[in-house]
Amino acid sequence: MTNPLFYAKILLFGEYGIIEDSQGLTLPYSFYKGTLKFSENQSDFEKKSNESLSKYAQYLSELNLPEAFKINVEAFKKDIEKGLFFDSNIPQGYGVGSSGALVAAIFEKYSFIKYNPEEISKNQLKDLKKVFGELESYFHGKSSGIDPLICYMNLPILIENKESVDKVSIPKEEAGKGAIFLIDSGSVGETGPMVQIFFEKLKNEGFRKTLKEEFIKYNNACIDTFLNKEMTPFFKHLKDLSKWAYVHFKPMIPTNLYNAWKKGLDTNAYYLKLCGSGGGGYILGFAKDYEKADKMLEGFNKEVIYRF
């Protein structure tokens, strides 16, 4: 029997802000995916993955999860001995949820109680997010649980605040001139150090104030206007958000994209924002006229993820 595929995720809005109770909007991204598989004659990649799973199983055996979300760690360990590994093309350190997909795959296969994502209630989502946070903390130190939740649900999710999340429908794609796209910075970003920088910044009262009064306001307005398909105000708020990040998230912006970020703000041809924690990996781009933006961002690898 083949195991289900778990897709990567993209946090369109909410990076860092969700730590401080802003809203977030996240979607599955089927270009990248992962699944649990068995292999007898293991390649180096498979061996490494199998060894990582073995260490992770140890971590799981020490966790005390609520009854409704308990995992059959013994069955998991037995499968690891039989050559289980996580076959994935999701790049690590790119902010698209590589550990989230792994956690989701393990939970789906080994949880004692099986859930149907389509039928999960808002309250269950809240509890599941908390459990996924514990399951993913092994990889990042501290996790909100959002990444695995999106990978597991395979549906767009609106993060309403720290506690509450809900399923949401995003406007249907259209074959228009506009696009949301990913830019490959060409380097890997490590979540831990970036989050550390953010927490250091939070110690500064001025930064806390501007985060609450400006960043969160722009971020939430972007989500609201995007979901309501109000593209003119959406791009206005997006510019504010991109400008704010350019000033306050400088350490998180990959250096080779710094000039391109500013160029977008100066010309209004496109706007860039972080995708996940930054530092490397992908950056998100938004353009009313993608062809124009594409020409201006020549030399960068780009992938369109949504047309409008």
Side-chain angles (χ1 to χ4, degrees):
M1 192 181 115
T2 57
N3 292 315
L5 289 168
F6 288 88
Y7 297 128
K9 64 84 208 168
I10 286 173
L11 183 63
L12 268 194
F13 296 101
E15 73 291 343
Y16 292 109
I18 51 178
I19 298 173
E20 288 296 296
D21 238 12
S22 81
Q23 291 186 343
L25 179 65
T26 179
L27 1 146
Y29 182 44
S30 59
F31 186 78
Y32 293 120
K33 46 192 135 347
T35 187
L36 289 165
K37 278 185 181 173
F38 288 98
S39 165
E40 282 175 28
N41 308 307
Q42 294 193 320
S43 68
D44 283 349
F45 170 81
E46 292 162 1
K47 227 180 238 130
K48 217 168 151 189
S49 173
N50 180 264
E51 283 162 15
S52 300
L53 291 183
S54 191
K55 286 175 192 158
Y56 185 54
Q58 196 44 50
Y59 168 79
L60 291 183
S61 62
E62 290 156 24
L63 275 188
N64 191 15
L65 296 172
E67 212 53 50
F69 302 108
K70 278 208 185 312
I71 285 174
N72 189 343
V73 182
E74 287 316 303
F76 182 39
K77 283 180 174 174
K78 276 181 187 151
D79 283 349
I80 291 167
E81 281 169 22
K82 290 180 202 161
L84 187 75
F85 73 102
F86 189 57
D87 187 19
S88 160
N89 69 346
I90 306 170
Q92 293 185 350
Y94 263 66
V96 287
S98 51
S99 58
L102 171 61
V103 167
I106 290 168
F107 182 81
E108 195 279 334
K109 187 167 171 66
Y110 297 102
S111 59
F112 284 105
I113 299 170
K114 301 297 174 197
Y115 295 91
N116 176 353
E118 298 283 344
E119 291 161 14
I120 287 175
S121 70
K122 193 172 171 180
N123 265 350
Q124 283 176 320
L125 268 183
K126 193 174 161 180
D127 295 339
L128 198 50
K129 176 180 167 294
K130 204 177 278 178
V131 167
F132 279 148
E134 282 191 65
L135 295 177
E136 203 192 23
S137 289
Y138 171 81
F139 301 98
H140 297 312
K142 191 178 190 300
S143 162
S144 65
I146 289 292
D147 284 11
L149 186 67
I150 295 127
C151 297
Y152 178 72
M153 298 293 291
N154 199 26
L155 298 163
I157 298 278
L158 175 67
I159 301 150
E160 295 170 336
N161 52 46
K162 263 184 196 166
E163 295 299 318
S164 189
V165 291
D166 208 356
K167 294 175 264 194
V168 69
S169 58
I170 62 164
K172 278 200 164 56
E173 275 199 83
E174 288 168 15
K177 285 174 81 171
I180 302 175
F181 54 98
L182 292 173
I183 302 178
D184 187 345
S185 70
S187 62
V188 171
E190 285 185 52
T191 302
M194 293 296 120
V195 172
Q196 204 47 53
I197 291 169
F198 178 72
F199 281 122
E200 279 305 311
K201 280 177 163 286
L202 275 183
K203 290 176 185 171
N204 177 312
E205 198 185 323
F207 178 75
R208 280 203 312 276
K209 193 172 187 296
T210 178
L211 184 84
K212 282 196 161 44
E213 290 175 7
E214 296 177 76
F215 177 82
I216 289 176
K217 186 176 100 180
Y218 305 148
N219 175 77
N220 292 1
C222 280
I223 293 172
D224 193 43
T225 48
F226 177 70
L227 290 177
N228 288 313
K229 229 176 159 184
E230 299 161 353
M231 292 326 252
T232 303
F234 170 68
F235 271 92
K236 181 194 167 294
H237 299 310
L238 191 57
K239 181 173 186 176
D240 290 335
L241 190 65
S242 181
K243 204 172 182 173
W244 190 95
Y246 181 74
V247 175
H248 298 282
F249 279 162
K250 186 170 180 177
M252 289 84 159
I253 299 172
T255 46
N256 65 331
L257 274 156
Y258 208 66
N259 290 339
W261 197 296
K262 176 92 167 53
K263 197 175 175 184
L265 289 168
D266 291 344
T267 60
N268 296 315
Y270 59 86
Y271 301 124
L272 304 184
K273 68 177 291 296
L274 296 179
C275 176
S277 56
Y282 286 118
I283 291 295
L284 272 161
F286 299 77
K288 285 181 185 172
D289 181 343
Y290 178 67
E291 270 185 40
K292 185 181 172 186
D294 187 29
K295 283 194 186 85
M296 288 175 72
L297 290 161
E298 209 181 339
F300 289 104
N301 284 334
K302 297 169 290 291
E303 292 167 30
V304 171
I305 58 170
Y306 182 87
R307 300 291 320 215
F308 57 88

